[in-house]
Amino acid sequence: MATHRTKMLIIGSGPAGYSAAIYGARAMMEPIVVQGLQPGGQLTITTDVENYPGFRDVVQGPWLMEEMKAQAEHVGTRMMWDTIVEVDLENGSPFRAVGDSGDEYIGDVLVIATGAQAKWLGVPGEQELGGKGVSACATCDGFFYRGKKVAVIGGGNTAVEEALYLTNHSDDVTLIHRRDELRAEKILQDRLLNHPKISVLWNKTVESFEAGDNGALSHVRLRDTQTGEDSDFGCDGAFVAIGHAPSTELFKGKLPMDDSGYLLVEAGTPKTSIPGVFAAGDVMDHTYRQAVTAAGTGCMAALDAERFLATLEVAEREAAE
Ligand code: NDP
C-alpha cells in the first residue's frame, strides 16, 4: 500500500476530470487523476462525436478521450489506474481517499468528476439477461447482433443515437418509447423517423425481458399506455437507453445532493459545501450533460482550486508568523 500526496486530487477521468487536470497541471498543482472503472468516461462508449468544438470532421469518442488524457499527461498529470472506494472529507483540507488497490491518496483540494452511468429499467429479466440479449450500450454490444432484430428503449438523444448506430449492424431496428413524442433533438428525430431500417413503437412500456429455450432474450413484454393491452415483441437484442444517474454513491451523507443524487454546488460555480472540494461535469449537471460543458466545469474547478490553495497558503503563512 502506497500513499500518494498532491495539491490537487481528481476523481474521475471524463472530459471534466481531464480538463481540470490540464488546467491544474499548468498551474503547478501537480494533479493526480484516479481514473475509475471506466477510464475516459462515457465518451469511450460513444462512436461519432460531431459537436465537440475544434474538429471540422466527425471524431470518435474513444479517440477524443485518449487525446485529452495524453494532453493532461503531457503537461504533468499523474494518472492512477485505481478506483476510489472511500473518501474522508470531514476534517477539511487535506482530503483523504482510498483506492480499490489499497493505496491512499491525499490532496489539498479535491475535484469530484465521477460522471454518470446508464440507468436501467428495473424490470424482471433485465439483469438476468445482461450479456444474453439485454445491454445498455449499442456501441459496445451492437456488433453481436449483426443481421439480427434489435430494439432500443427510450426517447432521448441517447436512444435515437443508439438506434441509428445499430443500423450499421442490423436491418431491423425498433425504437420503443413510452410516449407519443420523442425528447431527442429535432435533427436526430428527423434522421430516425426517415430511416428505412428503423420503426417506432409509441406509447409502450417494457414490463419484462423474457428468455427463450436457449436462455437468451427471445422477446420483450410490452404494455400499451393508452389501452393497457399487453403484447410480446420478439427480438434478439434489446438496448436500454433511458438516461443516466450520477455516480455519487461515495459521497452520500458527506456532501449535499438533490433528489436524483446530483451533487449540489454554489450557483454558477463548481464549489460544493466543503471549502476545497469541487464538483465538475455530469456529477453536478443534470441539465446540459455535454462533453463540452463537462470540460468547461472541469476548467472552472481547477481555477477555483488554484484560488483556494492560494488562500490556504496565505492562512498557513499567517499562522506560522
Ligand atoms: P434523457 O433523459 O434525455 O432521455 C431519457 C429517455 O428515456 C426519455 O425519452 C424518457 O422518456 C425515457 N425514459 C426514462 N425513464 C424511463 C423508463 N423508466 N421507462 C421508459 N422510458 C424511460 O437521456 P439521454 O441519455 O437520452 O440524454 C441525456 C443528456 O445527454 C441529454 O441532455 C442529451 O441531450 C445529451 N446527449 C447528447 C448527445 C448529443 O448531443 N450527441 C448524445 C446523447 C446524449 P420521456 O421522454 O417520456 O421522459
Side-chain angles (χ1 to χ4, degrees):
M1 191 193 110
T3 296
H4 310 276
R5 184 82 168 81
T6 174
K7 288 185 186 160
M8 187 191 207
L9 177 61
I10 302 168
I11 311 179
S13 57
Y18 286 156
S19 301
I22 292 164
Y23 274 77
R26 296 191 75 252
M28 312 307 283
M29 289 191 277
E30 298 157 359
I32 288 179
V33 170
V34 184
Q35 297 186 88
L37 284 175
Q38 189 181 44
Q42 292 176 65
L43 275 190
T44 59
I45 54 166
T46 308
T47 45
D48 295 354
V49 177
E50 56 187 5
N51 52 12
Y52 198 85
F55 306 98
R56 182 194 308 226
D57 298 318
V58 169
V59 295
Q60 299 299 301
W63 175 85
L64 183 60
M65 296 320 298
E66 272 303 313
E67 290 296 304
M68 281 191 207
K69 178 177 174 229
Q71 187 180 356
E73 285 179 316
H74 179 71
V75 289
T77 304
R78 266 190 292 164
M79 297 290 167
M80 307 303 295
W81 186 273
D82 204 352
T83 301
I84 298 299
V85 292
E86 192 189 319
V87 286
D88 180 1
L89 310 179
E90 257 167 52
N91 304 314
S93 173
F95 304 101
R96 182 178 162 272
V98 180
D100 195 29
S101 65
D103 282 9
E104 183 183 49
Y105 301 88
I106 297 175
D108 294 327
V109 295
L110 176 67
V111 176
I112 301 167
T114 47
Q117 284 174 341
K119 276 199 233 167
W120 293 97
L121 289 163
V123 298
E126 188 175 46
Q127 293 309 316
E128 296 83 339
L129 292 171
K132 293 181 204 150
V134 178
S135 165
C137 177
T139 46
C140 318
D141 301 330
F143 182 79
F144 303 120
Y145 300 94
R146 244 203 161 122
K148 303 212 168 140
K149 186 172 170 182
V150 293
V152 176
I153 297 119
N157 276 3
T158 304
V160 171
E161 284 197 341
E162 300 259 273
L164 290 167
Y165 172 77
L166 284 166
T167 61
N168 294 317
H169 300 298
S170 164
D171 291 339
D172 192 347
V173 179
T174 301
L175 186 91
I176 300 171
H177 183 38
R178 65 182 177 184
R179 291 189 296 135
D180 61 359
E181 62 176 345
L182 299 169
R183 185 182 290 276
E185 284 166 28
K186 180 86 175 59
I187 183 171
L188 287 172
Q189 288 198 31
D190 289 347
R191 276 186 217 162
L192 178 103
L193 297 172
N194 293 317
H195 203 293
K197 294 181 184 174
I198 303 178
S199 320
V200 182
L201 283 176
W202 302 103
N203 300 318
K204 300 274 191 287
T205 55
V206 171
E207 299 302 304
S208 64
F209 295 95
E210 304 289 336
D213 292 341
N214 62 358
L217 178 73
S218 73
H219 60 277
V220 181
R221 187 149 296 154
L222 302 175
R223 181 160 301 160
D224 191 295
T225 59
Q226 311 290 298
T227 63
E229 210 172 287
D230 286 350
S231 60
D232 286 342
F233 179 80
C235 55
D236 305 293
F239 294 86
V240 178
I242 59 164
H244 295 84
S247 304
T248 50
E249 198 62 36
L250 264 181
F251 309 102
K252 279 205 174 127
K254 299 182 178 178
L255 285 170
M257 301 176 185
D258 71 9
D259 292 345
S260 309
Y262 287 89
L263 292 181
L264 292 175
V265 289
E266 188 182 316
T269 80
K271 295 177 188 170
T272 69
S273 61
I274 299 180
V277 179
F278 304 93
D282 285 13
V283 77
M284 50 72 94
D285 168 23
H286 53 85
T287 312
Y288 302 103
R289 292 178 289 180
Q290 302 299 299
V292 66
T293 50
T297 51
C299 158
M300 289 158 68
L303 295 177
D304 280 341
E306 208 182 330
R307 286 186 199 117
F308 174 81
L309 280 183
T311 324
L312 203 65
E313 278 158 21
V314 170
E316 277 168 7
R317 239 191 345 261
E318 283 173 356
E321 280 165 11

